[in-house]
Amino acid sequence: MSMSNLGNEMISLTQFSKVTLVAALAFGSVPATAFSEEQAAVTDGRAAAVENFEAGDPALMLGGQVDLVNQTPPWLVSISGGKLFMENKLEPLSLHYNDIGWVQFPGTDVLASTDGAVVSATVDVKNMGKGGAGIFVGSGKAGTYLFFSVDGQGQYHVLRKDGRSLRALRSAKHVAIHAGAPNELAFELRGANVVFFANGTEIIKVPNENGMASAGRGNDQAGVGLAAFGIGVFSFDDVEIVRPD
């Protein structure tokens, strides 16, 4: 069974309201290994796995859940200089997602689902036209997720994917988001909502519809991941996944 779920989608960004899935998904098998760089970080008493893309074999980074071999045009995925890069030079309506379906937390010898976990990452976005990069809660493979991204102009975008439909819930500027510079993105589960943050500041609260974040109840549509859309070069660093309560 493949543990690595990656894929591209063609999306309508002109109206930023609907999506039609027209591209094939690509999946790859990965070895049962832990993150290449783990730290016994603690967030509110919970263990966290941290990937900084600096040590070890790039093929094992993020636990091998980045497919560096079976590339799916128009996206080129690479790891260099301590960062994960997603680059698209051709298709302005394309989105690339990278599911992180499991993780081995420090101090354990088991692979745990990311269902109910939370993720944070530092993203650096150099987009041409409409584009951005960020984190999502849910499953790219299942086609059900909330995607929170920022662009190089200091805007954020929140999109909800549900099957073949993708809706833009909100696009706006925020003073907490740095234009033309890296931004640290994160989310937390708060009651019936998913709350997204940029650089430690709460940006927006979104209803957790359809169980995209299931707080560890075993929903196969839940999980976490990284994604980018549009034409540009998008980098990710210091990815941290925190175990659910």
Side-chain angles (χ1 to χ4, degrees):
M1 178 181 297
S2 170
M3 295 187 202
S4 177
N5 301 321
L6 304 97
N8 297 335
E9 300 173 354
M10 296 296 293
I11 61 179
S12 172
L13 293 171
T14 52
Q15 297 297 322
F16 223 69
S17 60
K18 293 183 178 180
V19 65
T20 301
L21 181 63
V22 299
L25 305 181
F27 305 100
S29 298
V30 300
T33 57
F35 275 26
S36 63
E37 181 71 13
E38 289 188 338
Q39 299 174 6
V42 177
T43 303
D44 296 331
R46 296 175 293 169
V50 179
E51 179 62 77
N52 58 24
F53 304 104
E54 291 180 353
D57 184 351
L60 301 182
M61 292 179 179
L62 282 182
Q65 293 174 100
V66 180
D67 193 341
L68 301 174
V69 177
N70 301 306
Q71 303 284 339
T72 306
W75 290 90
L76 175 64
V77 180
S78 62
I79 294 175
S80 177
K83 294 182 180 181
L84 167 66
F85 288 90
M86 299 180 186
E87 182 176 1
N88 170 22
K89 295 182 178 179
L90 300 174
E91 296 288 348
L93 306 183
S94 184
L95 179 149
H96 180 82
Y97 66 80
N98 192 140
D99 281 328
I100 307 172
W102 57 269
V103 63
Q104 183 176 344
F105 291 105
T108 71
D109 58 0
V110 298
L111 300 180
S113 168
T114 55
D115 176 18
V118 295
V119 64
S120 64
T122 299
V123 301
D124 195 1
V125 179
K126 295 177 175 59
N127 56 294
M128 297 178 60
K130 180 98 48 194
I135 58 177
F136 65 82
V137 53
S139 169
K141 178 182 178 181
T144 306
Y145 55 83
L146 283 170
F147 176 35
F148 177 66
S149 66
V150 296
D151 61 27
Q153 290 69 51
Q155 294 188 104
Y156 70 90
H157 309 283
V158 183
L159 299 93
R160 184 192 303 277
K161 179 75 183 298
D162 191 1
R164 297 178 67 87
S165 173
L166 182 67
R167 291 183 291 149
L169 305 183
R170 178 70 171 166
S171 293
K173 283 200 170 185
H174 196 286
V175 294
I177 298 172
H178 309 313
N183 290 275
E184 182 182 358
L185 308 184
F187 76 86
E188 69 177 36
L189 308 180
R190 188 183 298 169
N193 299 298
V194 180
V195 185
F196 291 104
F197 298 81
N199 303 311
T201 299
E202 181 175 324
I203 303 297
I204 191 168
K205 184 185 301 181
V206 184
N208 178 27
E209 296 180 2
N210 300 325
M212 295 181 186
S214 67
R217 293 191 296 273
N219 184 349
D220 62 5
Q221 293 185 335
V224 298
L226 311 172
F229 71 90
I231 290 180
V233 179
F234 312 94
S235 70
F236 301 81
D237 197 3
D238 297 325
V239 177
E240 178 178 274
I241 299 174
V242 181
R243 185 166 51 196
D245 293 327

